[in-house]
Amino acid sequence: MPGISSSQHHVSRRAALGLGLGTAAAVALPGPRAEAAPGVVGGQRLGRPGVQVAPGAPRLPRLAAKSWLVADHDSGDVLASYAAHRALPPASTLKMLFADTVLPKFGRTQHHKVTAADLANIPFGSSLVGIQAGTTYSVEQLWQGVFLRSGNDAVHVLASMNGGVAETVRQMQARADDLQAKDTHVVSPDGFDHPGQVSSAYDLTLFARAGLKNDDFRGYCATKSADFPAGGRKTFQIQNTDRLLTGQGVRPYPGLIGVKNGYTSNAGNTFTGAATRDGRTLLVTVMHPKSGYEAVYEETAALLDWGFAVAGNADSVGTLVAPLSEQPKGAGAAGSAGAGAGSGAGPDGSPAAASSTSRLDDWALGGSAAIAALAGGGLLALRRRGRGRPSGRRRRLD
């Protein structure tokens, strides 16, 4: 389990590395380590195995998800994570990227008469809102179909309006690249299972944060129900499938403002949620809990509770990077590999010692140069390897 036990709190990173304070003789040449290469987007800590959390933070809840992340929406601080960059099928949470890409293209009062061609090639087994060829819909109604019912038919109509599925996929991938969502590979706009279509808890959180800057995006994902055209003058009611918003099957989460859930038999359950309490907004992404349809919501709620309990007093273990298009000119990808504040947990989820030695988590200790630096008392003078370099990390297509 990625949660932290009480006994784990007493295991220090210094002990795990076999380091004594100021003692170079205790350092052995390191063997292969299961850590990310320099330049991990959001900070080195986010590319490492095990729970990442700052020492002294409240105890994390017991979790079963394959990957999760909790972050502060405004500051971008990642407060804790587990396998944040693990590439996994995203299911309909990928619709956040679709909306962030396409939603600004059309006014909500614009109308479109749906054709059979608009509805062609929707994957068999897709979730549908019930769009009919020959019926005219407003753009607002189409987006309600996307956000509330996760309707792939609504996605395909909007994609058709946007130049087609292939063009929309191209634009989504370009937007993902701008957001520095390097774990994401887009194959379809709807998030349905396709070979090679993956994202990560980190990337999905980036999509949510970017989308929530748009008032329409924020309004749609917070809508609990709406009347939807049924042909002629008839309508039927659709309800949001986000159970933390509606309270269907689980307790509604106080202060929840969205964002998007997803499920396929291959992807399992995925969810990114945002909630506000006492003027503070948190983002949580949970991917693929081991069992139980409600688990993705229960674990999200538990992480939100934990994040609000931190109340801004815990150091971050990484950061949600800004889009490349919003960075100062000439900055490029330099901001993508932020080191992440705090000393945090080891690969087994145990916190590091709260001393300068624990900062070895963020230093590259390799070869005789590192040993010489330590022997000369130059521990804190070591340069971080790879800071400001592009990631170069390949997308893993599970």
Side-chain angles (χ1 to χ4, degrees), residues 356-380:
S356 61
T357 308
S358 70
R359 292 182 63 87
L360 286 168
D361 283 354
D362 289 333
W363 302 95
L365 292 179
S368 59
I371 302 302
L374 286 171
L379 172 62
L380 298 183

Side-chain angles (χ1 to χ4, degrees), residues 73-74 96 99-100 103 147 175 204-222 256-260 272-276 281-284:
H73 172 274
D74 296 327
M96 294 187 294
D100 187 51
L103 197 152
F147 277 92
R175 178 57 172 160
L204 293 175
T205 309
L206 288 180
F207 302 155
R209 190 185 189 208
L212 288 171
K213 295 178 182 178
N214 184 298
D215 289 340
D216 286 339
F217 183 108
R218 197 179 185 103
Y220 290 136
C221 71
L256 196 82
I257 55 175
V259 194
K260 191 70 188 76
T272 297
T276 298
T281 299
L282 296 181
L283 295 164
V284 167

Side-chain angles (χ1 to χ4, degrees), residues 44-45 48 52-55 77-79 314-318 339-345 352-355 358-362 384:
Q44 294 286 74
R45 293 287 305 278
R48 295 174 182 163
Q52 304 300 316
V53 64
D77 288 343
V78 177
L79 305 178
D315 290 336
S316 68
V317 297
S343 312
S355 70
S358 70
R359 292 182 63 87
L360 286 168
D361 283 354
D362 289 333
R384 293 189 184 187

Side-chain angles (χ1 to χ4, degrees), residues 158-182:
L158 286 161
S160 180
M161 294 170 61
N162 189 51
V165 168
E167 172 60 18
T168 299
V169 166
R170 185 195 66 77
Q171 292 178 17
M172 288 172 65
Q173 189 65 63
R175 178 57 172 160
D177 293 343
D178 177 55
L179 292 171
Q180 304 193 62
K182 296 181 181 295

Side-chain angles (χ1 to χ4, degrees), residues 176-261:
D177 293 343
D178 177 55
L179 292 171
Q180 304 193 62
K182 296 181 181 295
D183 308 314
T184 298
H185 180 72
V186 184
V187 178
S188 72
D190 48 41
F192 197 81
D193 290 333
H194 292 276
Q197 181 150 272
V198 292
S199 191
S200 68
Y202 183 86
D203 287 6
L204 293 175
T205 309
L206 288 180
F207 302 155
R209 190 185 189 208
L212 288 171
K213 295 178 182 178
N214 184 298
D215 289 340
D216 286 339
F217 183 108
R218 197 179 185 103
Y220 290 136
C221 71
T223 301
K224 294 182 180 180
S225 64
D227 292 329
F228 199 79
R233 296 185 177 181
K234 297 181 180 179
T235 62
F236 62 95
Q237 190 176 81
I238 57 174
Q239 293 187 339
N240 202 313
T241 55
D242 177 350
R243 297 189 174 201
L244 281 187
L245 184 69
T246 65
Q248 181 183 358
V250 296
R251 294 181 61 183
Y253 194 85
L256 196 82
I257 55 175
V259 194
K260 191 70 188 76
N261 58 321

Side-chain angles (χ1 to χ4, degrees), residues 105-193:
K105 305 285 186 70
F106 309 104
R108 61 191 303 158
T109 60
Q110 183 175 338
H111 286 75
H112 177 77
K113 186 174 183 178
V114 173
T115 67
D118 294 336
L119 300 173
N121 301 318
I122 296 174
F124 177 78
S126 291
S127 57
L128 304 172
V129 67
I131 290 177
Q132 304 174 32
T135 300
T136 298
Y137 300 85
S138 69
V139 165
E140 179 179 24
Q141 290 166 338
L142 292 173
W143 282 115
Q144 288 172 341
V146 172
F147 277 92
L148 275 66
R149 296 301 301 172
S150 207
N152 287 3
D153 46 357
V155 169
H156 278 252
V157 171
L158 286 161
S160 180
M161 294 170 61
N162 189 51
V165 168
E167 172 60 18
T168 299
V169 166
R170 185 195 66 77
Q171 292 178 17
M172 288 172 65
Q173 189 65 63
R175 178 57 172 160
D177 293 343
D178 177 55
L179 292 171
Q180 304 193 62
K182 296 181 181 295
D183 308 314
T184 298
H185 180 72
V186 184
V187 178
S188 72
D190 48 41
F192 197 81
D193 290 333

